[in-house]
Amino acid sequence: MSEVFDGYERQYCEISASLSQKCSSASILDGEKKKQKVQEIKTGLDDAETLIRKMDLEARSLQPSIRAGLLAKLREYKSDLNNLKSELKRITTANSAQATREELLESGMANTLAMSSDQRGRLLMSTERLNQSTDRIKEGRRTMLETEELGVSILQDLHQQRQSLLHANNTLHGVDDYVGKSKKILSAMSRRMDRNKWIIGGVIVVLVLAILLILYFKLAH
């Protein structure tokens, strides 16, 4: 595992836990205290998102066997970050709704809030459909990002395999060159041995003839 990734992971977990507590406390606050808490949450979310990007870069720089597990962790942290963003949106939306109601009451438009039960039902249904569409868009975007990550990982693996094949091909060419040189050396040695055999045979024939001549002259006298 990567010590750098582990360091980023610890920082993210601490920030995530702190943000969860702040979201819980912000939901029961109001006024300036709530605004201050919301600003702290936004700052924390920015820090968490920065750590997510750092972890993503670090994971992609590691070996494929390690990278796959880290990217799986990273997807969980991204999901956790999205949940925190949704919680912040819920808090700020509730805050905005409260402020709007107060403005309507102050401006003498309180009668707008007294809409019929049927109108409120239609509005709630429209809001629910809008939320469902937003969730589907988020899910599609998340799936697209995961597919992109998988594609990048596969391309990197294919590149490494191509480099390995090229290295193996170069090694085979080197072996072929050594085999060719070895064949040439063996052929030269074989020719030299044949030549030495003929020389030794000639020397033996000359010696035999000389011995025969010596014996002949001795026997003749």
Side-chain angles (χ1 to χ4, degrees):
M1 301 293 283
S2 169
E3 292 182 358
V4 176
F5 186 95
D6 290 341
Y8 292 151
E9 186 179 19
R10 284 193 297 271
Q11 293 179 43
Y12 175 82
C13 291
E14 292 172 358
I15 292 176
S16 177
S18 175
L19 288 174
S20 297
Q21 293 178 354
K22 289 179 179 179
C23 287
S24 298
S25 60
S27 61
I28 60 176
L29 296 175
D30 54 11
E32 289 299 322
K33 290 183 179 180
K34 187 170 188 176
K35 290 181 180 179
Q36 183 179 359
K37 188 66 69 175
V38 166
Q39 187 59 42
E40 292 177 4
I41 294 171
K42 289 180 178 179
T43 302
L45 287 174
D46 291 339
D47 294 340
E49 196 160 6
T50 300
L51 287 171
I52 288 287
R53 288 196 295 269
K54 289 181 179 180
M55 283 191 285
D56 186 76
L57 291 174
E58 178 62 19
R60 293 182 187 283
S61 66
L62 300 175
Q63 299 176 356
S65 57
I66 301 175
R67 182 172 59 237
L70 296 183
L71 288 177
K73 273 188 175 183
L74 198 56
R75 284 193 291 271
E76 295 178 2
Y77 293 146
K78 288 179 180 179
S79 177
D80 175 68
L81 183 61
N82 288 330
N83 291 336
L84 291 171
K85 289 180 179 179
S86 299
E87 182 65 16
L88 175 62
K89 185 176 180 181
R90 185 188 65 79
I91 294 171
T92 54
T93 301
N95 200 25
S96 300
Q98 179 65 27
T100 302
R101 285 194 294 271
E102 291 176 358
E103 289 177 1
L104 290 172
L105 288 171
E106 291 174 358
S107 62
M109 297 178 65
N111 57 332
T112 305
L113 296 175
M115 63 177 62
S116 66
S117 176
D118 184 54
Q119 289 175 322
R120 284 198 300 271
R122 286 198 298 271
L123 179 60
L124 289 173
M125 289 177 62
S126 299
T127 303
E128 185 178 355
R129 284 196 295 269
L130 180 60
N131 289 334
Q132 290 175 353
S133 299
T134 302
D135 292 339
R136 284 196 294 269
I137 291 172
K138 288 182 178 179
E139 184 64 28
R141 184 180 179 188
R142 189 180 301 114
T143 303
M144 181 184 67
L145 291 175
E146 291 177 354
T147 303
E148 181 183 354
E149 291 174 356
L150 179 61
V152 170
S153 177
I154 291 173
L155 286 175
Q156 290 176 346
D157 291 341
L158 289 174
H159 177 71
Q160 291 179 353
Q161 292 174 7
R162 180 176 178 272
Q163 293 298 325
S164 299
L165 290 174
L166 289 175
H167 179 69
N169 187 37
N170 293 333
T171 303
L172 288 174
H173 281 305
V175 172
D176 289 340
D177 292 339
Y178 285 125
V179 170
K181 290 178 181 179
S182 300
K183 286 182 179 179
K184 290 179 181 179
I185 293 171
L186 290 173
S187 298
M189 291 175 64
S190 178
R191 288 194 298 270
R192 192 175 301 167
M193 289 176 64
D194 291 339
R195 188 167 56 252
N196 289 339
K197 285 179 182 179
W198 283 105
I199 293 172
I200 292 171
V203 171
I204 291 173
V205 170
V206 171
L207 289 174
V208 170
L209 291 174
I211 292 170
L212 290 175
L213 286 173
I214 293 169
L215 290 175
Y216 173 77
F217 284 116
K218 284 187 177 182
L219 293 175
H221 293 290

